[in-house]
Structures are given as C-alpha cells and as structure tokens.
Amino acid sequence: MRSKVTVVGAGNVGATAVQRIHQLGYADTVLVDVVEDLPQGKALDMLESGPVIGSDAMVTGSNSYEETAGSDVVVITAGIARRPGMSRDDLLLTNMNITSAVTEQVVKYSPDCIILAVTNPLDAMCQNILESSGFPRNRVFGMAGVLDTARFRTFIAQELNVSVEDVQAYVLGGHGDDMVPLVRYTTVGGIPISEMMSEETVDALVQRTRQGGGEIVALLKAGSAYYAPSASITQMVEAILLDKKRILPGCAYLEGEFGINGLCVGVPVKVGAGGMEQVIEIKLTDDEQKALEASAASVQELVEVMKNAKEGAQ
Ligand code: APR
C-alpha cells in the first residue's frame, strides 16, 4: 500500500510540494484548501500528469478533511502572506488562528500522523501546531533549516564553481534574520570552507542567505519563494516515508538541549519514520551559543504574544 501525505494550503508552496511528492510515485497525496474548487482543480491537473511522468499515485483535492483520514504525514502550509499595513503581530495572530483550526481537523482525522509545519513565522507556528495537536514533540516539527541551508549551499557552490552536491552546510536558529550559520561545520567535499574562501566572502554569502527569502520576494513582486521551499519539504517528507534517518536542520521543540527549554528552534535533527527522532546536540562556540539564544529569544517573544492573545480570547 502506498503512503498517504496531506498538504494543507493549495497555494504556491503547498501545490508545488504535492507536485514534487506525486512525482516520487510512492505516496498518495491530498491537497486541502478553503478556497472552493482550487485544490480539486490543481489535484486533477497533477493527476493527469501521471501517465507522462510515470506516477500511479493518487492526487485528491478537497475543501474538507474526510479525504485526509489516515495520513502518514501532514504538511501545513495554510496561511496568509503579510499584506501592506499589516503588523507582524497581526500576521502572527492570523496565521496562529489558521494553523490552530487546521491542526484540530488534521488531528481528528489522522491521530497518528507526523506533522511538518511550514507556515510562517515558522518557529512560532511550529510551536502553535505542536501545542494545538497535543502530539509528542517527535511528531511535530518544522521546515526552514533545509531551505536556508540550500540557499547557503547554492551560493557557496556558485562562488567556488563546484557541484552543489559537494557542499555541506548547517544553519541553526530561526528562519530569516535570526539564522545562525555554523561556518565551522560547512565543508566542500569534506574540506572546511575556511580553506576554500576568505572570511569576508563567507560573511557576504551568509548575509545573502539571511536575506534569501526577501531577495526572491523583491524579484517576484507578488508572492514569495516556493520552488526551493517545496523541494525542502519533499526532502523531509521523503526522509520520513523511507525512514532514512537523515540528519537535517529542522525546527524542533527543545527540552533542555542547547540550554533551551520549551521552545521550537532550528537545530540539527534526525528524521525518520518516527518523525523528528532525535535532536543532535553539538558543541557550540560561545558566539554560536549566544546567537542561538538570541534567536530563541525572538521565538519566545512571538510565543508570548500568542499566549496573551489566547488568554484574552478565553
Ligand atoms: N485552511 C486551508 N487553507 C488555507 C486556510 C485554512 N484555514 N487559510 C488560508 N489557506 C490557504 C489559502 O487559501 C492559500 O491557498 O493557504 C494558501 C496559502 O498559499 P499562498 O498564499 O500561495 O502562500 P504560499 O506561497 O504557498 O506560502 C504558504 O508557506 O513558506 C510559507 O511564508 C509562507 O506562510 C506561507 C506559507
């Protein structure tokens, strides 16, 4: 029997993720959105690509959750993008309400699933989804680090004119400005990057990676990145479905690791059939530890705003 993957949010990121997962051929997918007919139309279009791409897997579109029942993995991309005049907190609380409502339905129909959080602001949404689900921490984690790392690896490979496959990198902390690239663990064909380029060049590439999402937004004018995000989702979903035990950067709920307790933060994790099977704790320098703590502090601020809003609503 094929695995079953649900993706909630049939926008650019969600639909492209379903397209990529469908192309793998070994998982049936369900695409869910609130917009009437949109997921059904996109799903049918993808299904009709099956004979050409050689995928017998099923793709279903729906505006409700019955079709998602018994999913192995659920990816949550549902949300709205920040609109002009909207504050950061407005966006936070709107997407909090959306992801809470989505999670309730997901848990009802797939009580044993593994949830991959994608909606931004990622770290805070991951925390909200984890709390709303009542799942153990291994079954709710977030995608951001794979994307940030992919951007960093792309820029390094371009700079050195080497294969992207030979560039290994680690990015910890929050998604975006708070990102903590672990330059010491960044290698090209196993060679530390410090042997391959100057510190100034590394710093420039780190800076470009931090602003990677914004660079795409500025070029697209409308909407944000989705090709690299959907590829990153697919890598994480595949690691779960094939029990690959991959070591990837992921957003995980920390219980004392790295000296952080009770917060979802980007760290290296082992991803397999159990979801986020292990937080890989590595030794950080004082500067790296400080940067990670600063990143955790900004997640904490958002978590406080969400907590106050939830208490106020009661
Ligand atoms: N249930 C299901 N779908 C919803 C809900 C909901 N309650 N609310 C909104 N959506 C859907 C929207 O209808 C839209 O189709 O979520 C989709 C979001 O798609 P886009 O606006 O195209 O956004 P996208 O670029 O796909 O990004 C989705 O991923 O990377 C993050 O920052 C990004 O938070 C954003 C998310």
Side-chain angles (χ1 to χ4, degrees):
M1 213 170 81
R2 278 191 287 267
S3 304
K4 184 167 178 179
V5 178
T6 287
V7 177
V8 186
N12 283 334
V13 174
T16 315
V18 169
Q19 182 196 354
R20 290 184 189 280
I21 296 165
H22 179 54
Q23 194 132 12
L24 297 173
Y26 53 73
D28 292 330
T29 46
V30 183
L31 185 59
V32 179
D33 203 286
V34 278
V35 179
E36 218 172 294
D37 291 340
L38 177 78
Q40 290 87 342
K42 290 193 178 184
L44 181 60
D45 191 11
M46 284 189 240
L47 186 69
E48 290 166 358
S49 70
V52 185
I53 62 171
S55 177
D56 287 308
M58 188 61 201
V59 193
T60 311
S62 182
N63 299 118
S64 62
Y65 287 80
E66 286 83 4
E67 309 268 11
T68 71
S71 293
D72 300 291
V73 179
V74 176
V75 181
I76 300 182
T77 77
I80 59 154
R82 192 160 156 183
R83 297 179 183 133
M86 196 176 200
S87 76
R88 226 170 113 86
D89 284 359
D90 286 343
L91 175 77
L92 174 76
L93 297 179
T94 305
N95 282 352
M96 174 189 87
N97 289 330
I98 290 175
T99 53
S100 298
V102 166
T103 304
E104 192 184 312
Q105 293 299 309
V106 165
V107 168
K108 182 172 166 198
Y109 287 96
S110 302
D112 299 319
C113 73
I114 290 164
I115 301 179
L116 186 62
V118 177
T119 306
N120 273 319
L122 188 271
D123 310 87
M125 289 306 111
C126 188
Q127 182 111 7
N128 182 50
I129 292 167
L130 175 70
E131 283 169 9
S132 308
S133 69
F135 282 4
R137 71 168 182 170
N138 66 298
R139 291 205 280 126
V140 181
F141 61 117
M143 187 293 289
V146 172
L147 169 62
D148 290 327
T149 310
R151 287 181 173 143
F152 194 34
R153 291 170 66 195
T154 303
F155 302 148
I156 292 169
Q158 268 190 329
E159 179 70 27
L160 295 174
N161 191 25
V162 298
S163 166
V164 287
E165 285 184 310
D166 288 331
V167 182
Q168 280 293 332
Y170 260 103
V171 171
L172 304 189
H175 185 36
D177 295 346
D178 291 327
M179 190 188 92
V180 185
L182 291 187
V183 176
R184 282 182 308 129
Y185 293 101
T186 301
T187 58
V188 178
I191 304 162
I193 190 147
S194 54
E195 304 282 322
M196 308 282 283
M197 58 174 77
S198 69
E199 220 180 299
E200 293 74 54
T201 311
V202 174
D203 287 348
L205 300 186
V206 164
Q207 200 43 34
R208 188 172 175 200
T209 307
R210 281 212 170 98
Q211 294 160 350
E215 186 178 358
I216 306 277
V217 167
L219 290 166
L220 293 181
K221 311 290 189 280
S224 49
Y226 55 101
Y227 292 113
S230 58
S232 306
I233 292 169
T234 307
Q235 184 176 66
M236 296 188 86
V237 169
E238 187 172 54
I240 299 167
L241 296 182
L242 301 186
D243 192 21
K244 285 181 84 93
K245 316 275 187 216
R246 292 210 61 176
I247 306 297
L248 300 168
C251 179
Y253 184 80
L254 299 185
E255 293 171 335
E257 295 92 346
F258 295 97
I260 297 168
N261 202 7
L263 268 188
C264 287
V265 181
V267 291
V269 294
K270 187 200 277 183
V271 185
M276 194 286 290
E277 296 185 349
Q278 192 188 341
V279 172
I280 311 286
E281 216 175 344
I282 50 174
K283 238 181 144 172
L284 301 180
T285 63
D286 286 350
D287 283 352
E288 288 163 352
Q289 181 67 31
K290 271 193 207 122
L292 187 63
E293 281 167 12
S295 193
S298 26
V299 180
Q300 180 73 53
E301 267 177 39
L302 300 184
V303 168
E304 290 298 324
V305 174
M306 294 197 297
K307 201 170 142 215
N308 291 339
K310 281 181 191 171
E311 281 169 5
Q314 272 168 8

